[in-house]
Amino acid sequence: MKIKINNQSIIMFLLALFLITKVIRTFSGAVDTVGGIWNVVQSVFLLIGLMWSLKYFPTYRKEYPIVILVLFDLYVFLLATPKFELSLSGVFNIFMLLYAACIFVLFFIVGMRTDLREKSLIPYIFYIVTIIIIFSMIRWFLSGSRASFIKLIDVADVYYPLGLMPLVLVFTKKKYSYIPLLFLATALVFTGKRAGILALVMMALVFYLSKNQKEKVRDSIKKVITIVAIGAIMYYLAIYLDNYFNLRLISRLYSMTEDGGSGRIERWISVINALRQSDVFNLLFGHGWGSVKNILGGHAHNDFLEIFYEFGIFAALLYISFYFSLIIKLFQMIKCKYRYVAEYTASLICSLFLTLFSFYFIKPFYITCGMLCFGFFLSDFKKFMCEKRGLNHVDIQS
């Protein structure tokens, strides 16, 4: 694989550095370490994203998901400034409220300059990160320190490869697509992230059930057989690992309705009750950045509710509009028979699952891979449409 040294390759190298160092640190259990090279990379992405947001506005001004997210980030950034702390961590945290839009713009521009059909570092990054997670979890489980380890680390870092999966599927031949799916399924089983497992199942179904216009009946039968085979392998793999390492994953999946998703329903009810007791001003402009922790002691595990409570109804409507615009873009892709509509849909499913059942925008880490995928898919779709209209590369950049 030949790698050209340019701005795009440097950014992809920084992405690899961010994901690999972050996962190594997390699964080493070194919780006494505050910050690291991943924070430096995030800061670099933020600075480049801010500059490119201004420089390349004419390029993305008609891409409504990007424009809405930029407006949303700016709005919550302004609302959060009264709680700004003049310290290194304070400056970093408040500017991270602009991170999602910056990543979206950054990788949209990178996508405009590259061909999504060419080879990429992304599959290599995916496998390295996933293998680190799997072997780290095996090491800790075999050492007999499972309980302390799960409390010690943030196993949600498995959401990084989950977020990368749609692009990995783009760079993987369809007949071999079960390989990254099984790798990721193994990592999710070990970490016990039920929302991630359900998201992966939905993503895989969408990917395999997407119908090609030229597909024959025989191909459809092969597709169904493939889905059944992969589903069976993933199921029995989960049972085997669950029994061998005593993961208790299967029982936790069955008990989701009883435990309220590890207490998520109770958290959501608490936030909703707090909203009902709020005055008009707080409903419009929120209770303040980080105020959910005052009633829950942590996050709400639902970005829509947390954004509503902390930043008010206008911010919540902007955030909802962002996802609504992504869904509209999906319908446009379907109508135009876009080549990667299934992969884009998988990326949308992943983002919705994480924003509904975890923390996505609120803790700006896992959103990196989601906005990366959206940036690449939207830029490729724009080039796809320009190709259909007979426009050249210069026309695309304008």
Side-chain angles (χ1 to χ4, degrees):
M1 177 181 176
K2 295 181 180 179
I3 300 176
K4 297 178 181 179
I5 305 300
N6 50 32
N7 289 340
Q8 294 84 266
S9 62
I10 292 172
I11 289 172
M12 295 308 298
F13 171 77
L14 288 174
L15 174 71
L17 188 64
F18 167 73
L19 293 177
I20 294 170
T21 56
K22 179 68 169 61
V23 170
I24 288 176
R25 182 262 186 175
T26 296
F27 286 87
S28 69
V31 292
D32 56 333
T33 305
V34 178
I37 188 64
W38 52 91
N39 290 147
V40 176
V41 174
Q42 280 188 293
S43 300
V44 172
F45 283 164
L46 179 71
L47 289 172
I48 298 174
L50 287 172
M51 292 188 294
W52 285 8
S53 296
L54 298 173
K55 182 178 180 180
Y56 295 107
F57 177 73
T59 304
Y60 69 83
R61 63 186 175 87
K62 293 184 179 179
E63 299 295 332
Y64 296 113
I66 301 179
V67 174
I68 293 171
L69 189 62
V70 168
L71 292 174
F72 168 73
D73 278 10
L74 287 172
Y75 182 69
V76 298
F77 177 80
L78 291 174
L79 288 179
T81 49
K83 287 205 168 187
F84 169 68
E85 295 180 4
L86 188 58
S87 64
L88 184 61
S89 61
V91 172
F92 177 82
N93 289 331
I94 193 167
F95 274 96
M96 280 296 106
L97 291 173
L98 302 172
Y99 181 72
C102 287
I103 288 292
F104 203 161
V105 172
L106 175 66
F107 285 101
F108 178 80
I109 300 303
V110 170
M112 291 298 297
R113 296 174 174 177
T114 55
D115 190 343
L116 197 55
R117 290 166 290 187
E118 294 180 354
K119 288 186 177 180
S120 170
L121 283 175
I122 289 175
Y124 300 95
I125 299 171
F126 168 85
Y127 283 112
I128 291 171
V129 169
T130 307
I131 289 171
I132 289 172
I133 294 172
I134 292 172
F135 279 95
S136 297
M137 294 301 294
I138 290 174
R139 177 169 60 89
W140 281 93
F141 279 125
L142 293 179
S143 69
S145 53
R146 176 187 183 278
S148 60
F149 180 59
I150 295 299
K151 293 179 181 178
L152 196 65
I153 67 169
D154 189 357
V155 291
D157 274 13
V158 73
Y159 290 151
Y160 289 126
L162 181 68
L164 285 180
M165 175 56 74
L167 278 177
V168 173
L169 293 173
V170 168
F171 298 115
T172 305
K173 291 183 179 180
K174 199 154 188 177
K175 62 180 179 179
Y176 299 124
S177 57
Y178 66 91
I179 296 176
L181 287 170
L182 290 177
F183 266 90
L184 182 55
T186 303
L188 286 166
V189 168
F190 272 121
T191 55
K193 303 306 292 183
R194 293 176 291 182
I197 291 171
L198 294 176
L200 180 62
V201 170
M202 290 295 296
M203 291 161 67
L205 286 174
V206 164
F207 178 72
Y208 282 107
L209 290 177
S210 59
K211 184 173 177 60
N212 190 313
Q213 296 296 321
K214 299 180 180 179
E215 187 173 81
K216 298 178 181 178
V217 175
R218 183 178 61 182
D219 295 327
S220 299
I221 294 173
K222 285 183 179 179
K223 184 182 289 185
V224 172
I225 294 173
T226 301
I227 294 172
V228 172
I230 292 176
I233 292 172
M234 291 174 66
Y235 177 73
Y236 286 109
L237 175 66
I239 290 178
Y240 173 78
L241 294 175
D242 190 64
N243 292 331
Y244 188 84
F245 292 98
N246 191 26
L247 304 177
R248 296 184 293 106
L249 175 64
I250 304 300
S251 60
R252 290 179 67 239
L253 282 171
Y254 286 135
S255 65
M256 286 185 73
T257 54
E258 298 175 6
D259 65 10
S262 297
R264 281 174 174 77
I265 294 178
E266 288 81 0
R267 286 173 175 268
W268 300 343
I269 291 173
S270 297
V271 175
I272 291 171
N273 289 335
L275 284 168
R276 286 174 176 172
Q277 299 171 12
S278 302
D279 56 36
V280 175
F281 181 85
N282 289 137
L283 286 174
L284 292 176
F285 302 105
H287 295 75
W289 179 34
S291 55
V292 161
K293 291 182 180 179
N294 297 332
I295 58 175
L296 298 179
H299 294 290
H301 287 268
N302 183 301
D303 277 1
F304 294 109
L305 283 176
E306 192 152 350
I307 288 167
F308 189 2
Y309 186 83
E310 294 189 355
F311 300 109
I313 191 169
F314 296 125
L317 289 174
L318 275 173
Y319 195 59
I320 292 170
S321 298
F322 166 64
Y323 280 100
F324 186 68
S325 67
L326 289 171
I327 294 171
I328 291 176
K329 183 68 69 172
L330 170 61
F331 285 115
Q332 292 174 356
M333 291 178 176
I334 294 171
K335 182 179 179 181
C336 299
K337 301 177 183 178
Y338 174 52
R339 55 199 166 212
Y340 299 128
V341 66
E343 291 85 349
Y344 173 81
T345 307
S347 186
L348 184 56
I349 289 170
C350 178
S351 290
L352 282 171
F353 262 86
L354 295 186
T355 205
L356 284 169
F357 303 111
S358 188
F359 24 77
Y360 201 45
F361 170 81
I362 295 300
K363 287 182 70 175
F365 290 108
Y366 313 125
I367 203 168
T368 302
C369 296
M371 296 305 106
L372 178 152
C373 287
F374 288 141
F376 272 123
F377 286 128
L378 262 62
S379 60
D380 187 69
F381 181 59
K382 182 174 182 177
K383 290 186 287 186
F384 174 82
M385 293 303 296
C386 288
E387 290 169 6
K388 291 186 69 172
R389 295 167 185 161
L391 300 178
N392 58 33
H393 189 68
V394 175
D395 296 320
I396 292 172
Q397 296 294 346
S398 63

